[in-house]
């Protein structure tokens, strides 16, 4: 039997061995924990690294997108500024978009009450000596013949521009009946084109493109004889009579005056066409303007100014003017036909789009009495002019006498 001391020694050794084993286990466990923590830390570091890479990539892309956006904004801003600068540099009105419209509002808050607005931009081409002063003479003639009667509102302080002009229309001319008069000159030739907007209420589009309507040439040096000048003065007021040119300077001044009268007659025809299509009992001014070019000038234009009767606001009254022109040209039968047509429209408006046979003249007595003094006076004038043209035609005289009977004259 072992002694107690030996037993105690064996137990202590066992405890020491167990403690050593536990210590090694703890050390191994701690090492494994450290290794596991290191693996975790490495994994977390890798996650953070990849996340930082992704964030950096996203940040880099955002910076690139922002730089691209800023570049596009700068480009768009520069383009907008360039367009705006070009718009102002080339805009028909030097003061910029909207200025003309606001200026017109100073004349009338309701733009629909304004007379026809006539735009006379700077002439195209290089003015040569024989055209010097033409623009001033034309402006004076238009103001004297049309603006003074309240038929037009003339705007002549405009740059050269092409028509149609979208920015000009939407900023200044929208809803405003406007006639654009464009004049080009080259050497001895003057070309007049007309266009505009809101000139025809029933038109499918608001704007009418420019169309060349007249060409004028400077005459030969020997054109202005005493007889030619006398024809020009036949219908002129004393203050507007011309003298036979004696020098080259006199001839140039006379050429400028005739050119201004020619363009004025063209514009007057366009103004008449506008009001014939929009106003009743309108007294046309074209005959007076054309007479300033001599008695033969009217024959170059159709008696109805080329206006379809279906587009005329007052066809019965318009036909009286047409009849007077036909009579003056010796077309008596046409003049009588226009008078019959005018009275037929009084009887029934459908005759404005329908031709003969017309109702008997006697049926116009009642409508004629209600037509007003302006119509009856114009009818008497047309009857007198036609009566002079049908001399020697008994049948035409009988028709005219019947017409005079229904108006009591």
């Amino acid at each position: 039997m072992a002694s107690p001391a030996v037993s105690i020694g064996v137990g202590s050794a066992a405890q020491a061995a167990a403690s050593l084993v536990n210590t090694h286990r703890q050390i191994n466990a701690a090492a494994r924990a450290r290794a596991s923590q290191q693996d975790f830390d490495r994994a977390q570091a890798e996650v953070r690294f990849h996340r930082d890479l992704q964030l950096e990539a996203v940040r880099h892309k955002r910076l690139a997108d922002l730089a691209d956006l800023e570049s596009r904004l700068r480009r768009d801003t520069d383009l907008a500024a360039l367009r705006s600068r070009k718009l102002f540099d080339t805009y028909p009105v030097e003061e910029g978009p909207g200025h003309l419209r606001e200026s017109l509002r100073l004349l009338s808050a309701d733009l629909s009450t304004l007379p026809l607005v006539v735009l006379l931009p700077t002439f195209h081409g290089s003015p040569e000596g024989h055209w010097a002063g033409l623009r001033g003479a034309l402006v004076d003639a238009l103001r004297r013949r049309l603006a003074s009667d309240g038929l037009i509102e003339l705007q002549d302080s405009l740059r050269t521009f092409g028509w149609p002009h979208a920015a000009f229309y939407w900023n200044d001319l929208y809803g405003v009946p406007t006639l654009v008069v464009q004049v080009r000159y080259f050497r001895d030739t003057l070309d007049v084109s007309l266009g505009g907007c809101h000139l025809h209420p029933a038109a499918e589009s608001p704007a009418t493109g420019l169309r060349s309507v007249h060409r004028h040439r400077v005459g030969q040096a020997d054109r202005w004889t005493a007889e030619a000048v006398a024809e020009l003065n036949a219908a002129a007021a004393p203050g507007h009579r011309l003298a036979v040119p004696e020098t080259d300077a006199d001839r140039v001044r006379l050429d400028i005056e005739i050119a201004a009268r020619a363009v004025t007659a063209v514009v007057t025809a366009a103004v008449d066409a506008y009001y014939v299509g929009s106003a009743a009992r309108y007294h046309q001014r074209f005959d007076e303007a054309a007479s300033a070019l001599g008695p033969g000038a009217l024959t170059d234009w159709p008696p109805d100014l080329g206006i379809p009767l279906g587009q005329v606001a007052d066809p019965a009254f318009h036909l009286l003017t047409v009849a007077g022109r036909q009579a003056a040209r010796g077309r008596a039968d046409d003049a009588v036909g226009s008078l019959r047509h005018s009275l037929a429209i009084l009887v029934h408006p459908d005759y404005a789009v329908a031709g003969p046979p017309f109702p008997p003249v006697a049926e116009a007595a009642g409508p004629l009495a209600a037509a007003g003094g302006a119509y009856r006076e114009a009818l008497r004038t047309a009857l007198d002019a036609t009566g002079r043209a049908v001399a020697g035609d008994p049948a035409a005289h009988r028709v005219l006498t019947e017409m005079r009977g229904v108006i009591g004259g």
Side-chain angles (χ1 to χ4, degrees):
M1 182 174 179
S3 65
V6 173
S7 299
I8 292 172
V10 173
S12 297
Q15 289 178 351
S19 177
L20 181 61
V21 171
N22 289 334
T23 299
H24 279 292
R25 288 176 177 173
Q26 291 174 354
I27 291 172
N28 290 335
R32 287 194 300 271
R34 285 194 300 274
S36 178
Q37 183 64 42
Q38 288 174 356
D39 291 342
F40 177 78
D41 290 342
R42 280 194 297 271
Q44 290 296 312
E46 288 181 4
V47 170
R48 287 194 298 272
F49 178 72
H50 288 298
R51 185 178 61 197
D52 290 343
L53 285 179
Q54 291 175 347
L55 290 175
E56 183 63 25
V58 171
R59 187 162 45 249
H60 179 74
K61 187 176 186 308
R62 286 180 177 176
L63 289 175
D65 290 344
L66 181 60
D68 183 62
L69 177 61
E70 290 176 346
S71 176
R72 289 202 305 269
L73 287 175
R74 285 194 299 271
R75 181 187 62 195
D76 292 344
T77 301
D78 292 343
L79 287 175
L82 179 63
R83 284 194 295 266
S84 179
R85 184 166 61 252
K86 184 173 180 60
L87 175 64
F88 271 87
D89 290 344
T90 61
Y91 200 73
V93 181
E94 185 175 358
E95 292 81 359
H99 177 79
L100 176 60
R101 193 175 191 87
E102 293 306 313
S103 298
L104 294 176
R105 288 190 189 280
L106 296 177
L107 301 176
S108 174
D110 183 359
L111 297 180
S112 66
T113 64
L114 285 174
L116 177 66
V117 175
V118 175
L119 304 182
L120 185 67
T122 303
F123 293 173
H124 283 259
S126 300
E128 301 183 30
H130 48 258
W131 295 124
L134 172 61
R135 183 175 176 81
L138 177 57
V139 170
D140 289 344
L142 291 176
R143 293 194 186 282
R144 182 175 65 253
R145 288 193 173 275
L146 299 173
S148 61
D149 290 340
L151 296 177
I152 67 170
E153 173 55 42
L154 181 63
Q155 297 290 325
D156 61 303
S157 299
L158 291 97
R159 297 166 171 163
T160 299
F161 65 92
W163 181 261
H165 190 296
F168 194 25
Y169 173 77
W170 291 112
N171 287 295
D172 288 278
L173 301 177
Y174 175 75
V176 180
T178 304
L179 176 68
V180 179
V181 182
Q182 188 176 90
V183 179
R184 294 176 181 268
Y185 34 40
F186 179 71
R187 295 180 180 174
D188 65 340
T189 302
L190 191 74
D191 188 84
V192 184
S193 298
L194 300 179
C197 59
H198 302 293
L199 295 174
H200 308 292
E204 295 181 358
S205 58
T208 303
L210 289 171
R211 183 169 62 93
S212 178
V213 297
H214 181 72
R215 178 164 289 181
H216 177 84
R217 279 193 172 90
V218 173
Q220 299 295 325
D222 58 352
R223 172 186 177 185
W224 301 120
T225 62
E227 293 77 10
V229 174
E231 287 186 358
L232 292 173
N233 290 332
H240 298 284
R241 289 177 182 167
L242 306 172
V244 178
E246 299 179 355
T247 64
D248 288 342
D250 292 341
R251 182 177 58 80
V252 169
R253 284 193 293 271
L254 185 56
D255 286 334
I256 291 296
E257 174 64 23
I258 298 306
R261 291 184 181 187
V263 180
T264 300
V266 172
V267 176
T268 303
V271 172
D272 278 354
Y274 169 75
Y275 283 107
V276 164
S278 60
R281 301 296 190 263
Y282 172 71
H283 290 275
Q284 299 178 35
R285 271 71 170 180
F286 173 71
D287 300 75
E288 180 184 358
S291 67
L293 296 169
L298 280 170
T299 59
D300 295 334
W301 291 78
D304 59 357
L305 299 184
I307 309 170
L309 198 60
Q311 296 179 7
V312 176
D314 190 351
F317 193 81
H318 173 60
L319 283 170
L320 299 181
T321 304
V322 173
R325 290 171 180 155
Q326 291 168 333
R329 300 178 191 187
R331 296 165 51 181
D333 291 341
D334 292 338
V336 173
S338 294
L339 293 174
R340 287 291 312 276
H341 198 174
S342 176
L343 291 176
I345 293 172
L346 286 187
V347 175
H348 200 289
D350 285 351
Y351 281 105
V353 294
F358 298 130
V361 172
E363 291 187 17
L368 184 59
Y375 179 88
R376 291 193 295 272
E377 184 60 31
L379 177 59
R380 289 190 181 93
T381 301
L383 285 171
D384 292 341
T386 306
R388 292 189 292 270
V390 299
D393 186 342
H397 268 294
R398 283 196 296 272
V399 175
L400 295 182
T401 300
E402 188 178 5
M403 292 182 186
R404 289 191 179 93
V406 297
I407 60 173

